[in-house]
């Protein structure tokens, strides 16, 4: 941030289009796999996880992140979806014990807004995702693994003992409703923040 911000600038903390519903609670041993990102890396990770999750004893919600994806012979402990809307995704996010997903900024903000424990796998070659995953892992917020040679059993075992430190040292978490979209905002901004330049709307021309 600049030493002195312009008068029309306001720094906000984490923004998310997901806001926790108090009626929904995490379920024991439920894993949400939330895939996204560039091809062919998304498809490669999908195939890898589909094989490695065969021995997982808990319940799994598996979101492909591709509306054209199709699967057959889905195990009874897996709920499979090609894609989900934000409204459909929210309860699955809240019910998950762990979320396995990419480390994109929007995904990270949603995880923090919902106070979820996650296993992050940055998209290979996406330097901002690799930086965020490394930054958050070194601070004990989320555990992270590269996609190359990823082994779910090892990652899950490590996640069980990971500290998962909260970004919210104090309960100063508020909701802002802007143009029918709910944003989750931590007003005690952490080092990674969003800059919004609030430019006043010009007055209408007078004739």
């Amino acid at each position: 941030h600049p030493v002195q911000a312009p008068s029309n600038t306001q720094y906000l903390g984490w923004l998310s289009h997901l806001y926790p519903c108090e009626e929904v609670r995490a379920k024991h041993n439920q894993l949400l796999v939330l895939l996204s990102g560039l091809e062919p890396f998304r498809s490669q990770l999908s195939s890898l996880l589909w094989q490695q999750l065969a021995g997982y004893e808990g319940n799994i919600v598996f979101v492909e992140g591709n509306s054209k994806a199709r699967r057959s012979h889905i195990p009874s402990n897996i709920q499979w979806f090609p894609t989900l809307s934000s409204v459909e995704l929210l309860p699955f996010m809240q019910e998950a014990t762990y979320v396995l997903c990419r480390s994109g900024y929007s995904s990270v903000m949603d995880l923090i807004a919902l106070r979820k424990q996650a296993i992050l796998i940055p998209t290979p070659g996406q330097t901002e995702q690799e930086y965020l995953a490394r930054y958050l892992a070194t601070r004990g917020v989320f555990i992270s693994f590269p996609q190359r040679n990823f082994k779910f059993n090892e990652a899950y075992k490590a996640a069980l003992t990971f500290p998962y430190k909260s970004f919210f040292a104090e309960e100063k978490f508020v909701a802002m409703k802007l143009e029918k979209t709910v944003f989750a905002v931590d007003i005690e901004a952490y080092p990674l923040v969003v800059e919004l330049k609030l430019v006043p709307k010009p007055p209408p021309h007078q004739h």
Side-chain angles (χ1 to χ4, degrees):
H1 303 160
V3 176
Q4 185 174 358
S7 60
N8 66 340
T9 300
Q10 180 180 359
Y11 290 107
L12 300 180
W14 297 95
L15 298 178
S16 171
H17 63 298
L18 301 178
Y19 185 68
C21 177
E22 294 183 359
E23 289 76 18
V24 181
R25 294 289 183 268
K27 295 183 179 180
H28 176 67
N29 213 25
Q30 179 153 305
L31 175 69
L32 171 62
V33 177
L34 191 57
L35 300 183
S36 62
L38 300 174
E39 296 289 2
F41 302 114
R42 188 210 61 81
S43 296
Q44 292 170 355
L45 182 59
S46 175
S47 299
L48 179 69
L49 292 174
W50 195 257
Q51 296 173 9
Q52 295 187 5
L53 291 173
Y56 185 74
E57 297 180 354
N59 294 319
I60 300 171
V61 177
F62 197 107
V63 184
E64 286 278 358
N66 183 348
S67 60
K68 297 180 181 180
R70 298 292 183 270
R71 284 200 182 273
S72 58
H73 309 295
I74 299 174
S76 59
N77 68 323
I78 297 181
Q79 289 181 268
W80 181 88
F81 302 94
T83 60
L84 289 175
S85 68
S86 297
V87 174
E88 295 168 329
L89 177 62
L90 177 57
F92 290 124
M93 287 276 286
Q94 289 197 254
E95 291 173 353
T97 309
Y98 291 97
V99 179
L100 193 155
C101 64
R102 296 300 193 187
S103 54
Y105 194 59
S106 296
S107 297
V108 168
M109 289 192 290
D110 290 341
L111 293 168
I112 291 176
L114 297 175
R115 295 171 169 81
K116 301 310 300 182
Q117 297 180 342
I119 300 170
L120 301 180
I121 305 176
T123 301
Q126 294 290 297
T127 54
E128 77 285 357
Q129 289 196 19
E130 293 169 344
Y131 165 77
L132 276 174
R134 186 168 58 250
Y135 178 93
L136 295 167
T138 56
R139 283 154 179 80
V141 180
F142 297 121
I143 197 167
S144 173
F145 297 90
Q147 181 167 321
R148 183 181 177 85
N149 299 323
F150 179 81
K151 294 179 174 58
F152 173 76
N153 287 339
E154 294 179 6
Y156 182 71
K157 183 177 180 181
L160 293 175
T161 57
F162 192 75
Y164 286 109
K165 298 177 182 178
S166 175
F167 266 73
F168 302 93
E170 301 178 8
E171 292 296 323
K172 293 184 178 179
F173 188 71
V174 299
M176 295 176 62
K177 191 169 185 180
L178 303 176
E179 298 179 349
K180 299 183 179 180
T181 301
V182 175
F183 292 88
V185 181
D186 172 21
I187 59 177
E188 291 294 321
Y190 214 71
L192 296 178
V193 297
V194 176
E195 176 181 348
L196 297 182
K197 292 187 177 180
L198 307 177
V199 180
K201 184 177 180 180
H205 293 289
Q206 296 181 354
H207 301 286

